[in-house]
Amino acid sequence: MKILVCISKTPDTTAKIAFTDNNTKFAEAGVQWIINPYDEWYALVRAIELKEKDPSVVIHLITVGTADVEPIIRKALALGGDEAFRVNASSHDSFFISSQIAEIAKQGNYDLIFTGKETIDYNSSSVGGMVAELLDLPYISLATKFELNGATATVTREIEGGEEVVEASLPLVVSCQKGMAEQRIPNMKGIMGARTKPLKVSDPVNAEAPTSIISFETPPPKAGVKLIPADNPAELIRLLREEAKVI
Amino acid sequence: MPVLIFLDQSDNTIKKTTPEVITYGAKLAAQLGITAEGILLGTVSSDIAALGKYGVTKIHHVNDEKLNHPDGQVYTQIIAQAVDAIGAKVIVFSNNLHGKAIAPRLAAKLKAGLVSGAVALPDMSNGFVVKKTVFSGKAFANISVNTGIKIISVNPNAFQAEASGGAAEVVPFNATINAAKTKVVSVNKIKGEIPLSEAERVVSAGRGLKGPENWKMIEELASVLHAATACSRAVADAGWRPHHEHVGQTGLAIAPNLYMAIAISGAIQHLAGVNRSKVIVVINKDPEAPFFKAADYGIVGDAFEVVPKLIEAAKAL
């Protein structure tokens, strides 16, 4: 049983979002980088839980990025990955990234591919579906629970206004969100062990990048809060109806 | 070479986001000087032709109940057949849960550039550039789509539905339908509640309410405002409210017309999930609560005193 977990590097959730170079580049100065929370807390930790239940499970990690993503990969290895791949390229296009992941996945014959539900920086929620299509595999998006019974996966996923339970045979691509697993902190043994785990670097395969980022914008600042006295909440209701027209 | 709009349904009912994406697709078609057509998969109990009023002139319908439950792979194959048959140039989805399951697959299949989470019509003054939310709503990116076929998934509630035109022509579309590799075993919809992702108004509360037993007044306020209920991460993690009510960076990101935050301080991670709301109301007894900086209206006061009065005032409307 082999699981491939897709890992992405994102700014910390509290990072200041600003841009440089005439609003064409994210301002990286002083930014703390983390493993995309959905990739780490849900995708990777659920894979680790499956390995704890069945020690024959092998967990591989993949990330598409330049050498500066390696601390993030080492952290993921410290949490519990067995081996990692880094495709040496820098891209924000989901199709380009998915093409690289699909190429590594083809060589590895994985039973399961886990991604986070989206990255917290580009929020495209696209890589899981694209990888699945490139490999012609079923894709279950936005999973909140994942159970395995032999070669059949039972997955709970979010739908509008509730949830549904879906069954599929492996191999399978799943995007993971809250509910799949609980956040963990790597222990010292894991951190020491991660230093010597294999991290294979490869060059990207030729793939198109159908989109490119032209520029960024930050939303206009709010005009400021209109405060209503605490003893007159009826005034708030009136403003919401007559001024804001939202009720 | 029309714009093709994916008309989303579930439970035999056209979804609330569908009129929004039709309006978007129709305006885009007008920009390009081409027609807007729709594709609908599965059986629907309402009058499909009536969707024409939002600007779609022709609807290709695969009227097969095997498709009532979307399977991303099967849907992708059918939509790709339709794109091919009618020569669609731009395909428009809602960036809702179905859109997220299907649009990326279709993009990979067609090698089409995808912008997911679009908030505006494309700027075609220099290429084809679409604005989308990035950094969990803290910024926007302008994305250039450089392929012949383009796919746009539009954020729910980012684009207002506008009715003007008449009825659409509904034509059957004969597709090859493959067997789904996934099987839905059970569906559990929470009855009687407004789904949070589709709600126009949301009343949300945080740890300041002290315990789950105090949510009665939140539910009552939500009910009189026809709003859905939500909560902060701390509340969901404490088990006071179900996880599906958690809004924020790691929970659900929403963009209702009204977001009312009661006894929530407004941590940056919470704001990331709600900052696209059109109007934000904050009720907090701490005047220094960071949420007030992101609010349009605010009351500095104790929720236990303010909320009952709000319920009374809203009931009097």
Side-chain angles (χ1 to χ4, degrees):
Chain A
M1 170 82 179
K2 284 176 78 180
I3 308 176
L4 183 65
V5 181
C6 307
I7 298 287
S8 186
K9 182 188 89 163
T10 60
D12 179 63
T13 54
T14 57
K16 183 174 169 1
I17 305 304
F19 304 98
T20 61
D21 295 34
N22 215 3
N23 282 331
T24 57
K25 283 202 180 79
F26 174 60
E28 299 194 354
V31 168
Q32 284 271 34
W33 296 94
I34 57 169
I35 309 172
N36 178 43
Y38 297 109
D39 302 345
E40 178 189 338
W41 304 352
Y42 309 124
L44 175 57
V45 175
R46 188 67 192 122
I48 294 167
E49 289 174 354
L50 293 170
K51 187 183 170 78
E52 284 165 353
K53 229 171 122 183
D54 172 5
S56 72
V57 169
V58 175
I59 302 172
H60 287 180
L61 310 172
I62 172 144
T63 190
V64 178
T66 44
D68 55 327
V69 306
E70 293 202 356
I72 300 299
I73 309 172
R74 289 289 171 203
K75 189 191 168 195
L77 287 169
L79 279 161
D82 292 305
E83 191 176 321
F85 297 93
R86 177 172 73 80
V87 179
N88 190 28
S90 175
S91 174
H92 295 306
D93 180 79
S94 302
F95 183 76
F96 178 88
I97 293 167
S98 303
S99 302
Q100 307 309 325
I101 294 172
E103 188 60 30
I104 296 283
K106 269 179 213 157
Q107 293 163 18
N109 265 324
Y110 295 94
D111 303 284
L112 265 175
I113 300 174
F114 278 170
T115 71
K117 80 158 180 174
E118 64 186 55
T119 59
I120 62 166
D121 48 8
Y122 293 95
N123 307 109
S124 285
S125 212
S126 297
V127 165
M130 288 186 176
V131 169
E133 184 62 30
L134 292 169
L135 298 172
D136 197 23
L137 294 179
Y139 169 52
I140 301 180
S141 51
L142 306 170
T144 55
K145 282 194 195 98
F146 180 93
E147 298 299 335
L148 207 51
N149 187 0
T152 305
T154 305
V155 189
T156 305
R157 75 160 157 217
E158 182 194 346
I159 55 171
E160 266 106 15
E163 56 180 37
E164 66 183 14
V165 180
V166 181
E167 265 180 18
S169 300
L170 304 184
L172 178 66
V173 182
V174 179
S175 83
C176 308
Q177 63 166 336
K178 189 166 184 147
M180 283 287 270
E182 291 296 327
Q183 189 180 359
R184 293 185 179 190
I185 297 166
N187 58 29
M188 193 45 80
K189 188 169 164 254
I191 294 167
M192 300 305 283
R195 292 180 188 174
T196 52
K197 285 180 180 171
L199 195 171
K200 294 175 185 158
V201 181
S202 60
D203 286 324
V205 290
N206 221 339
E208 295 154 65
T211 66
S212 49
I213 297 174
I214 301 294
S215 62
F216 293 97
E217 292 171 30
T218 40
K222 284 258 180 188
V225 59
K226 191 180 261 189
L227 286 176
I228 293 111
D231 57 5
N232 191 14
E235 174 63 5
L236 173 63
I237 296 294
R238 188 192 71 78
L239 287 168
L240 291 179
R241 165 149 295 190
E242 290 171 17
E243 188 177 83
K245 298 186 169 69
V246 289
I247 59 172
Chain B
M1 293 198 307
V3 169
L4 185 64
I5 304 154
F6 174 68
L7 309 177
D8 195 9
Q9 58 87 20
S10 72
D11 298 333
N12 306 105
T13 310
I14 295 290
K15 288 184 94 72
K16 191 185 149 262
T17 49
T18 300
E20 295 172 16
V21 293
I22 297 176
T23 306
Y24 183 96
K27 290 196 173 182
L28 171 58
Q31 267 184 317
L32 291 165
I34 56 181
T35 57
E37 303 185 5
I39 175 126
L40 174 66
L41 311 185
T43 60
V44 168
S45 51
S46 60
D47 178 14
I48 299 163
L51 290 172
K53 67 173 177 267
Y54 301 106
V56 69
T57 52
K58 191 190 247 187
I59 295 173
H60 305 269
H61 188 196
V62 188
N63 195 0
D64 188 322
E65 60 183 23
K66 282 200 294 292
L67 300 172
N68 285 3
H69 219 97
D71 174 275
Q73 214 166 359
V74 174
Y75 265 47
T76 298
Q77 288 156 356
I78 297 171
I79 298 167
Q81 291 170 40
V83 169
D84 196 40
I86 69 173
K89 230 176 141 181
V90 187
I91 305 120
V92 180
F93 287 85
S94 168
N95 192 34
N96 63 3
L97 303 176
H98 289 162
K100 286 177 182 177
I102 303 161
R105 282 204 88 116
L106 187 68
K109 188 174 182 71
L110 302 175
K111 300 221 175 346
L114 165 67
V115 178
S116 67
V119 294
L121 284 162
D123 175 357
M124 293 187 228
S125 57
N126 188 10
F128 191 99
V129 178
V130 187
K131 189 198 267 197
K132 67 160 281 184
T133 54
V134 287
F135 296 99
S136 306
K138 290 172 219 160
F140 300 102
N142 294 304
I143 309 285
S144 169
V145 187
N146 311 322
T147 45
I149 299 179
K150 302 165 174 71
I151 304 181
I152 302 172
S153 65
V154 184
N155 264 346
N157 213 24
F159 216 80
Q160 199 73 39
E162 288 172 24
S164 56
E169 178 196 356
V170 180
V171 293
F173 181 71
N174 292 319
T176 309
I177 305 173
N178 293 331
K181 290 188 201 161
T182 63
K183 190 174 115 205
V184 176
V185 191
S186 66
V187 177
N188 179 18
K189 285 211 177 184
I190 302 137
K191 290 203 174 64
E193 269 182 44
I194 301 169
L196 197 44
S197 52
E198 293 183 357
E200 286 175 16
R201 291 172 285 272
V202 174
V203 175
S204 186
R207 212 163 21 178
L209 281 198
K210 298 193 173 81
E213 66 278 6
N214 295 325
W215 249 262
K216 272 254 169 321
M217 62 178 185
I218 301 300
E219 286 170 350
E220 193 181 353
L221 179 60
S223 157
V224 294
L225 294 175
H226 305 289
T229 51
C231 68
S232 66
R233 177 176 175 187
V235 164
D237 283 355
W240 295 0
R241 299 296 291 178
H243 276 306
H244 70 256
E245 284 199 2
H246 164 203
V247 292
Q249 184 135 38
T250 53
L252 194 65
I254 54 172
N257 294 337
L258 170 65
Y259 183 73
M260 195 180 278
I262 297 164
I264 301 176
S265 63
I268 192 165
Q269 293 91 342
H270 184 79
L271 293 178
V274 302
N275 54 12
R276 288 188 293 110
S277 308
K278 295 208 170 75
V279 173
I280 294 179
V281 175
V282 170
I283 296 164
N284 204 299
K285 65 180 177 188
D286 175 9
E288 301 297 319
F291 219 147
F292 282 114
K293 287 201 178 73
D296 300 284
Y297 299 97
I299 294 180
V300 179
D302 186 345
F304 292 98
E305 286 164 23
V306 174
V307 173
K309 286 183 195 158
L310 277 178
I311 294 170
E312 225 174 280
K315 272 184 180 166
L317 282 179

